[in-house]
């Protein structure tokens, strides 16, 4: 356990104008889970790209020692030959190929260039058992959820006789269940002697599995903590990441809660492709003006489907139920009507559903408000720019100019652009779906501040999140969702009176409450 | 200094195609001993390429939405055939025939737009089918024969000129006046843009640069007007093209519809969730393209003074090439009307120049293909370098 398997010494990597890595040192012991943490842009991914040969020898300074040998990788192939395999955040699987085909992609089990299917499936089956993937090896990857796809990636890594497994934000797209599975698997692989480097934003995960934690900040190694000896509490790690004590990860707030603004009654939604599958089952909820209501649910619980079906029936079919605003029933059959009635929906996936990445900041901000910014369909471009500039200041969007292409902004600033877009429509009800996903700690705090300001302005806000701390820290009241139903509600009194640990446990219980079958005695 | 260099780089990329157009023109000016810019040839060049520019303007909108229209060449032929049958065979009044032709274009657009936008069939397939359908219908209408000639007034569309306001002058006075009018218009627009620019918080364009650009543009316009004035003045085709450029540039830059078109092409899902009716946008872009293709068909038939079954063959490829040379992206969301027109002019100048120096149609095609590949390749290379 104490033998050093990997040592990176004095790694410096410069990009034009930026020093991404500045004399970074990293020592990984054999058979451990080594967590690499840091804010976005701290250099974690760059360091791993240096290690895996994405940035070949010669493009960086410093030395890489793997198993007591100096390594000079020219590409990923060479690092993989040594048993270093990196699994990126965006999975690199081919959706139309089977699990087995994906596992051996590039290393096909073949005799004289002709695939040996028997061997392929047999070996795939063995690897899948090792990672706990209970599927047929012939299943197409497109039919798997993200969690299982992640397992395929790991099986693929195992097929290459991996010694050092690098996982870049492996649980970012996973729900709590799948995340737990994955972490258990890492621990299992550790027992089999496989060393892992885990890059993650989720500090609770790190705390639970990591043996050693290295903290990077601004391209430098700040410190390495040993879980066996040092204090590795979340606050301790955060202190290292941001270099200052964060006593409040959520800004202080005095809630001013008014009357019921938005109410949903008996909302039922069926799956768009499978007409007899109920995705949302008789959901009832309400939000008061000035109130922030959290919806906590695991991925697959129907929280995004609920939000999108409420927002102009953008998801699902055979939708029934009532939507009331300020006590009156409203018809919301398409997005235009939703916007007209003062609804706004910020998607969990800003790149796919929120932004036109190839267009600039102004045009993204104005995208949902063009009719208000025009006279007889001719745009008032001056007013458009003025409004965008006002929001840029209010939201503290860091961009060299309003003409900057949105793709070039950081995740936090992109999210602020999406928020600006919806604030410009002057909504009364905002549904924020995972508003801080993939955003660094500093930007998260700013987003929370913005959410508070919106609530203070009397808007009714629904925040959907799978991060329990976020839901608890942000909400005045919480609904939990499970299997398309509202499985529980945590009142404001409970939120203020109970401890964080207690609340999290309670929420987790409600979120996994699968109804009468096994959840009856859980609450 | 750094900003100045950067600004030059940005502007260079922005005007890359314009510079390419100038270089290609200069090359042929040299190779043809100046014939390419002689008054008579310049007038010809416009008349020969007008309908391609009209097609390119319609096509760029389609391509910005992330679609393609392969049927426009066949629509040109079909509409020409309809005009021919109506006017030549049945003696229908010309204005009625023109109106019917444009309506037919709109109907074709509705047909194709319906399948693409509302039925979700890829535009490549729908318009490939359209290409065959309308070519077939053309052959049916004309019975495989050409129809000719059209009455003089119909020929005016493709071959006519604006009448002069002064009789008996050796140069066309109206043309000169139009040149001056456009110069003043440009100055006013530039002034307003600069004034607005300070509000927009945009990176200010360097004053010297915008002055230089303005001066060059005005010089080109007036010189161009002068050359046209020495022949017969402004061709009707040029009027049609200019009006379309102005109207469509305005639509794309300053109207809600234009924004919706860019947003639909840039990220359709995000546009949907922002309350943009993207199906409707795609549908109307196809209707619009049908009408413009019909207009091009009338111009083509008028120019040729006949309706022939082979009319407009491969024109869709010229239009598509123009749009991509003009900087549009296959993935949608990117492209400009002016870019497409400049791309069309690059193709036009090459067609005309190569014909003048006696390059055969075989090599003309091959060279145009290489230019298309080079233009888009250069663009992609630049983008990759920027990332």
């Amino acid at each position: 356990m104490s033998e050093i398997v990997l040592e990176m010494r004095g790694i410096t990597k410069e990009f034009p104008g930026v020093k991404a890595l500045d004399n970074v040192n990293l020592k990984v012991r054999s058979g451990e889970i080594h967590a690499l943490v840091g804010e976005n842009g701290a250099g974690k991914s760059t360091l791993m790209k240096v290690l895996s040969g994405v940035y070949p020898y010669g493009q960086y300074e410093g030395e890489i020692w793997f198993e007591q040998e100096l390594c000079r990788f020219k590409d990923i192939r060479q690092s993989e030959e040594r048993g270093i395999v990196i699994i990126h955040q965006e999975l690199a699987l081919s959706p139309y190929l089977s699990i087995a085909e994906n596992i051996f992609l590039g290393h096909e089990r073949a005799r004289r260039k002709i695939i040996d299917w028997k061997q392929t499936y047999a070996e795939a089956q063995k690897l899948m058992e090792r990672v706990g993937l209970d599927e047929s090896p012939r299943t197409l990857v497109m039919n798997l959820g993200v969690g299982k796809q992640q397992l395929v990636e790991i099986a693929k890594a195992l097929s290459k006789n991996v010694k050092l497994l690098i996982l870049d934000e492996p649980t970012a797209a996973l729900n709590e269940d799948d995340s737990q599975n994955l972490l258990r698997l890492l621990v299992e692989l550790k027992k089999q002697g496989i060393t892992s480097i885990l890059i993650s934003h989720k500090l609770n995960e790190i705390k639970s599995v990591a043996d050693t934690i290295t903290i990077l900040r601004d391209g430098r190694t700040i410190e390495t903590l040993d879980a066996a000896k040092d204090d590795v509490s979340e606050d301790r790690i955060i202190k290292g990441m941001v270099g200052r004590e964060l006593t409040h990860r959520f800004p202080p707030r005095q809630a001013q809660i008014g009357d019921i603004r938005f109410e949903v009654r008996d909302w039922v939604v069926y799956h768009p492709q499978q007409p007899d599958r109920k995705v949302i089952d008789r959901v009832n909820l309400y939000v008061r003006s000035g109130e922030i209501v959290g919806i906590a649910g695991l991925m697959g619980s129907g929280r995004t489907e609920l939000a999108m079906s409420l927002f102009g029936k953008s998801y699902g079919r055979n939708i029934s139920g009532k939507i009331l605003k300020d006590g009156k029933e409203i018809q919301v059959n398409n997005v235009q009507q939703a916007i007209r009635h003062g609804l706004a929906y910020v998607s969990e996936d800003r790149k796919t559903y929120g932004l036109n990445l190839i267009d600039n900041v102004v045009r993204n901000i104005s995208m949902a408000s063009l009719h208000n910014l025009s006279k007889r369909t001719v745009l008032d471009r001056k007013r458009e720019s003025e409004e965008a500039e006002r929001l840029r200041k209010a939201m503290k969007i860091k961009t060299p100019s309003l003409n900057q292409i949105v793709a070039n902004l950081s995740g936090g600033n992109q999210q602020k652009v999406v928020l600006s877009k919806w604030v410009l429509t002057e909504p009364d009800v905002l549904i924020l779906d995972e508003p801080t996903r993939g955003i660094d700690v500093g930007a998260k705090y700013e987003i929370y501040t913005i959410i508070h300001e919106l609530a203070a302005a009397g808007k009714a806000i629904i925040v959907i999140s799978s991060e329990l701390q976020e839901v608890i820290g942000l909400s005045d009241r919480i609904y939990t969702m499970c299997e398309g139903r509202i499985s529980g509600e945590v009142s404001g009194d409970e939120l203020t009176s109970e401890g964080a640990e207690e609340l999290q446990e309670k929420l987790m219980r409600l979120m996994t409450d699968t109804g009468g079958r096994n959840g009856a005695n859980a609450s | 200094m750094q900003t100045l260099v950067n600004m030059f780089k940005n502007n260079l990329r922005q005007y890359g195609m314009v510079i390419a157009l100038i270089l290609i023109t200069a090359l042929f000016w040299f190779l043809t001993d100046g014939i390419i810019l002689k008054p008579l040839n310049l007038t010809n060049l416009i008349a020969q390429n007008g309908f391609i520019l009209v097609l390119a303007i319609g096509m760029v909108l389609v391509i910005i939405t992330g679609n393609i229209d392969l049927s426009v060449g066949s629509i040109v032929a079909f509409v020409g055939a309809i005009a021919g049958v109506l006017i030549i065979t049945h003696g229908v009044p010309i204005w009625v025939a023109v109106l019917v032709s444009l309506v037919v274009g709109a109907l074709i657009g509705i047909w194709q737009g319906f399948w693409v936008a509302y039925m979700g069939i890829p535009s490549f397939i729908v318009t490939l089918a359209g290409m065959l359908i309308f070519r077939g219908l053309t052959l049916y209408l004309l019975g495989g024969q050409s129809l000719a000639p059209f009455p003089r007034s119909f020929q005016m569309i493709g071959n006519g000129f604006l009448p002069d306001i002064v009789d008996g002058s050796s140069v066309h006075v109206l043309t000169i006046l139009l040149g001056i009018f456009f110069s003043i218009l440009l100055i006013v627009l530039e002034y307003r843009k600069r004034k607005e620019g300070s509000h927009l918080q945009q990176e200010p364009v360097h004053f010297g640069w915008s002055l230089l650009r303005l001066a060059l543009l005005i010089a080109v316009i007036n010189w161009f007007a002068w050359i046209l004035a020495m022949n017969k003045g402004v061709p009707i085709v040029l009027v049609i093209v200019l009006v379309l450029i102005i109207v469509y540039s305005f639509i794309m830059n300053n109207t809600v519809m234009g924004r919706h078109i860019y947003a639909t092409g840039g990220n359709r899902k995000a546009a949907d969730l922002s309350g943009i009716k993207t199906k409707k946008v795609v549908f109307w872009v196809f209707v619009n393209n049908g009408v413009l293709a019909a207009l091009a068909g009338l111009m083509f038939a008028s120019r040729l003074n006949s309706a022939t079954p082979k009319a407009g063959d491969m024109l869709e490829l010229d239009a598509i090439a123009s749009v991509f040379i003009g900087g549009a992206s296959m993935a949608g969301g990117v492209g400009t009307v002016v870019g497409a027109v400049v791309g069309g002019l690059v193709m036009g100048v090459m067609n005309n120049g190569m014909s003048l120096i006696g390059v055969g149609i075989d090599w003309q095609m091959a060279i145009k293909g290489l230019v298309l590949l080079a233009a888009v390749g250069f663009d992609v290379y630049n983008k990759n370098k920027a990332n």
Side-chain angles (χ1 to χ4, degrees):
Chain A
M1 178 89 183
S2 57
E3 185 198 352
I4 301 291
V5 64
L6 169 76
E7 185 172 4
M8 298 179 82
R9 286 184 202 155
I11 304 290
T12 298
K13 165 82 188 160
E14 282 182 68
F15 292 108
V18 210
K19 211 172 214 179
L21 295 175
D22 187 4
N23 197 23
V24 170
N25 295 298
L26 180 70
K27 276 188 198 173
V28 179
R29 287 174 303 186
S30 178
E32 71 166 351
I33 298 178
H34 193 115
L36 199 54
V37 297
E39 286 197 72
N40 284 355
K44 297 162 297 190
S45 297
T46 313
L47 186 65
M48 290 304 104
K49 283 180 180 166
V50 167
L51 173 58
S52 58
V54 175
Y55 300 128
Y57 175 73
Q59 285 190 15
Y60 60 89
E61 292 161 40
E63 293 177 347
I64 300 172
W65 291 80
F66 186 65
E67 296 180 319
Q68 282 75 47
E69 264 178 63
L70 183 61
C71 298
R72 291 171 175 175
F73 300 129
K74 285 202 194 78
D75 52 33
I76 299 185
R77 239 191 147 77
Q78 290 190 352
S79 67
E80 283 189 352
E81 273 164 22
R82 292 301 311 269
I84 301 175
V85 178
I86 184 163
I87 296 177
H88 292 282
Q89 199 175 342
E90 274 97 25
L91 301 178
L93 297 171
S94 179
Y96 298 106
L97 296 182
S98 71
I99 294 175
E101 285 168 309
N102 266 289
I103 288 177
F104 298 114
L105 201 59
H107 311 80
E108 285 79 7
R109 294 292 176 265
R111 254 178 249 155
R112 284 197 218 108
K113 301 275 176 196
I114 293 173
I115 306 249
D116 180 345
W117 287 107
K118 216 173 133 192
Q119 196 193 352
T120 300
Y121 288 126
E123 281 187 36
Q125 189 72 54
K126 268 185 216 147
L127 291 165
M128 286 161 66
E129 274 161 24
R130 264 179 88 187
V131 299
L133 180 56
D134 186 19
E135 289 279 347
S136 157
R138 290 175 171 81
T139 307
L140 297 189
V141 161
M142 61 183 289
N143 296 329
L144 299 178
V146 195
K148 287 184 174 174
Q149 292 191 8
Q150 193 78 257
L151 296 179
V152 176
E153 280 276 17
I154 294 174
K156 188 174 168 184
L158 292 177
S159 79
K160 296 170 189 164
N161 287 324
V162 62
K163 289 175 193 154
L164 176 63
L165 185 63
I166 304 164
L167 297 127
D168 191 354
E169 297 269 2
T171 59
L174 301 191
N175 63 34
E176 295 270 356
D177 269 353
D178 287 344
S179 300
Q180 290 306 323
N181 265 337
L182 187 76
L183 295 175
R184 263 199 300 274
L185 177 61
L186 283 189
V187 175
E188 186 58 38
L189 293 175
K190 180 170 99 172
K191 285 180 198 151
Q192 299 172 17
I194 294 170
T195 316
S196 338
I197 296 178
L198 173 66
I199 299 178
S200 180
H201 278 303
K202 295 187 180 168
L203 303 183
N204 52 347
E205 293 175 3
I206 286 167
K207 209 173 72 178
S208 68
V209 297
D211 301 301
T212 314
I213 299 165
T214 294
I215 300 171
L216 291 185
R217 191 206 309 157
D218 301 328
R220 276 171 237 209
T221 327
I222 298 303
E223 56 189 342
T224 298
L225 304 172
D226 187 333
K229 286 180 272 176
D230 302 316
D231 166 24
V232 289
S233 67
E234 292 185 28
D235 283 340
R236 176 70 190 79
I237 299 170
I238 288 172
K239 188 182 149 202
M241 282 164 65
V242 298
R244 64 196 153 100
E245 198 86 49
L246 265 183
T247 44
H248 301 288
R249 278 160 69 196
F250 294 90
R253 159 162 178 264
Q254 201 63 50
Q256 297 279 331
I257 296 174
D259 296 330
I260 293 182
R261 196 88 218 242
F262 182 72
E263 194 176 350
V264 178
R265 285 190 195 155
D266 294 326
W267 197 251
V268 178
V269 179
Y270 288 85
H271 194 273
Q273 274 91 44
Q274 302 157 30
D276 51 349
R277 190 172 136 202
K278 221 182 243 185
V279 184
I280 300 295
D281 189 4
R282 273 173 292 125
V283 161
N284 286 283
L285 58 84
Y286 67 91
V287 197
R288 290 170 290 193
S289 77
E291 188 181 34
I292 302 175
V293 169
I295 295 183
L298 302 173
M299 208 174 272
S301 62
R303 48 204 186 132
T304 297
E305 290 78 1
L306 171 66
M308 286 186 70
S309 63
L310 290 174
F311 189 64
K313 301 192 177 167
S314 305
Y315 172 88
R317 58 155 72 177
N318 284 337
I319 299 174
S320 62
K322 281 182 187 169
I323 298 178
L324 287 83
K325 214 187 119 196
D326 297 320
K328 267 181 258 160
E329 187 178 348
I330 53 170
Q331 291 301 320
V332 191
N333 293 320
N334 53 46
V335 177
Q336 295 80 29
Q337 284 180 351
I339 294 173
R340 225 174 298 134
H341 284 301
L343 264 58
Y345 169 64
V346 175
S347 162
E348 60 176 337
D349 183 351
R350 58 181 166 271
K351 287 185 178 170
T352 312
Y353 294 105
L355 295 165
N356 181 358
L357 286 169
I358 56 175
D359 215 338
N360 64 23
V361 176
V362 190
R363 285 157 168 249
N364 268 287
I365 290 179
S366 64
M367 187 156 42
S369 314
L370 291 172
H371 287 290
N372 296 330
L373 293 169
S374 58
K375 270 181 224 142
R376 275 183 245 110
T377 82
V378 176
L379 282 168
D380 184 345
R381 291 180 65 177
K382 197 175 138 202
R383 225 184 93 213
E384 180 190 24
S385 306
E386 285 164 357
E387 292 287 337
E389 175 61 16
R390 179 176 66 79
L391 285 160
R392 186 184 71 78
K393 283 190 182 131
M395 301 268 178
K396 300 195 180 73
I397 302 171
K398 287 184 204 81
T399 169
S401 98
L402 288 175
N403 288 339
Q404 180 70 32
I405 299 301
V406 173
N408 298 336
L409 299 183
S410 72
N413 284 305
Q414 288 183 349
Q415 188 69 358
K416 289 179 189 173
V417 171
V418 180
L419 280 169
S420 301
K421 171 170 93 176
W422 288 109
V423 169
L424 189 56
T425 65
E426 297 178 350
D428 303 317
V429 182
L430 282 110
I431 306 173
L432 311 177
D433 198 349
E434 299 278 5
T436 65
R437 171 176 290 175
I439 290 176
D440 67 59
V441 176
K444 270 187 183 177
Y445 191 87
E446 290 180 346
I447 301 268
Y448 296 147
T449 310
I450 292 167
I451 294 173
H452 283 184
E453 283 167 5
L454 290 168
K459 300 185 188 308
I461 296 174
I462 296 174
V463 174
I464 296 170
S465 179
S466 52
E467 269 183 62
L468 292 179
Q469 284 143 341
E470 180 168 284
V471 185
I472 294 168
L474 211 49
S475 311
D476 300 317
R477 197 156 52 83
I478 299 172
Y479 292 107
T480 55
M481 273 193 87
C482 180
E483 296 189 335
R485 293 172 301 107
I486 297 284
S487 58
E489 186 179 343
V490 177
S491 68
D493 291 341
E494 289 172 275
L495 277 172
T496 44
S497 62
E498 289 179 32
E501 297 263 315
E502 225 178 324
L503 275 171
Q504 287 191 36
E505 280 172 29
K506 180 171 195 165
L507 285 173
M508 189 48 87
R509 270 203 311 273
L510 289 169
M511 281 154 66
T512 49
D513 173 9
T514 47
R517 291 188 296 279
N518 53 14
N521 49 5
S523 55
Chain B
M1 190 58 212
Q2 187 64 38
T3 54
L4 208 71
V5 171
N6 265 339
M7 204 190 64
F8 186 69
K9 265 191 194 158
N10 289 342
N11 285 315
L12 194 74
R13 250 180 86 187
Q14 192 183 344
Y15 296 115
M17 256 339 34
V18 178
I19 291 167
L21 175 62
I22 292 168
L23 289 179
I24 289 171
T25 313
L27 175 71
F28 282 112
W29 183 78
F30 178 74
L31 289 176
T32 60
D33 293 326
I35 293 175
I36 194 159
L37 293 179
K38 287 264 160 59
L40 181 64
N41 188 59
L42 201 63
T43 307
N44 269 336
L45 208 158
I46 292 164
Q48 279 167 4
N49 292 290
F51 46 84
I52 294 180
L53 298 183
V54 172
L55 289 177
I57 291 171
M59 188 67 75
V60 73
L61 306 202
V62 172
I63 285 174
I64 289 172
T65 63
N67 288 295
I68 200 139
D69 192 338
L70 300 172
S71 68
V72 291
S74 295
I75 300 177
V76 162
F78 183 58
V79 166
I82 285 181
V85 169
L86 287 177
I87 296 169
I88 298 170
T89 316
H90 296 289
V92 170
I94 284 162
W95 68 270
V96 176
V98 167
L99 204 67
V100 170
S101 299
L102 295 179
V103 168
V104 166
L107 288 175
I108 292 172
I110 288 170
W111 161 258
Q112 302 199 121
F114 166 77
W115 290 109
V116 176
Y118 294 107
M119 292 292 116
I121 298 176
S123 53
F124 188 94
I125 305 295
V126 171
T127 60
L128 184 64
M131 182 176 167
L132 295 168
I133 294 168
F134 301 113
R135 183 66 62 186
L137 291 180
T138 307
L139 286 168
Y140 167 76
L141 267 184
L142 295 175
Q145 307 282 312
S146 290
L147 274 177
F150 281 104
R152 275 213 67 75
S153 53
F154 184 77
Q155 290 178 41
M156 283 290 284
I157 301 174
N159 300 308
F161 295 87
L162 281 187
D164 202 357
I165 42 172
V166 185
D167 280 337
S169 168
S170 63
V171 291
H172 198 271
V173 179
L174 179 66
T175 307
I176 306 275
L177 289 179
L178 277 175
I180 294 168
F181 169 76
F182 273 108
S183 308
I184 295 168
L185 190 73
L186 269 179
I187 293 170
V188 172
L189 284 178
E190 185 69 22
Y191 173 75
R192 275 184 47 185
K193 209 167 109 189
R194 285 200 69 83
K195 220 178 104 191
E196 214 178 58
S198 53
H199 283 288
L200 294 180
Q201 321 282 332
Q202 293 175 343
E203 306 120 275
V205 182
H206 195 264
F207 184 67
W209 177 263
S210 80
L211 209 63
L212 179 73
R213 193 181 57 183
L214 199 59
L216 275 174
L217 259 174
I218 288 174
V220 168
I221 287 173
N222 285 286
W223 166 83
F224 189 66
W226 174 249
I227 294 207
L228 288 179
M230 292 206 295
N231 189 31
K232 291 179 191 161
V234 182
I236 304 281
V237 171
L238 183 60
V239 176
I240 295 175
V241 170
L242 279 179
V243 168
L244 289 180
I245 292 173
I246 292 167
V247 168
Y248 280 90
S249 287
F250 183 81
I251 289 175
M252 293 308 281
N253 291 324
N254 291 298
T255 69
V256 175
M257 184 69 186
R259 279 299 170 76
H260 284 184
I261 291 171
Y262 278 113
T264 299
N267 183 347
R268 184 143 183 188
K269 289 172 185 162
D272 271 326
L273 281 178
S274 298
I276 295 169
K277 293 174 181 162
T278 55
K279 287 181 180 173
K280 209 172 128 189
V281 169
V282 171
F283 176 77
W284 282 108
V285 162
F286 270 93
V287 175
N288 175 71
N289 198 39
V291 175
L292 286 185
L295 177 61
L298 292 172
M299 289 162 76
F300 189 90
S302 161
R303 165 89 189 145
L304 242 67
N305 193 18
S306 71
T308 75
K310 290 293 277 177
D313 198 20
M314 305 254 280
L315 262 191
E316 59 279 339
L317 300 184
D318 275 346
I320 292 166
S322 304
V323 171
F324 286 127
I325 289 176
S329 152
M330 193 83 199
V334 182
T336 58
V337 170
V338 172
V341 169
V342 171
L345 287 175
V346 168
M347 300 283 285
V349 169
M350 286 198 314
N351 280 339
N352 181 273
M354 287 191 289
S355 300
L356 284 177
I357 57 174
V359 176
I361 196 81
D362 43 2
W363 284 109
Q364 283 194 26
M365 276 193 178
I367 290 171
K368 280 195 292 184
L370 287 173
V371 167
L372 170 65
L373 193 60
V376 177
F378 180 73
D379 221 35
V380 170
Y381 170 77
N382 259 330
K383 268 180 207 149
N384 288 343
K385 215 171 55 176
N387 288 341

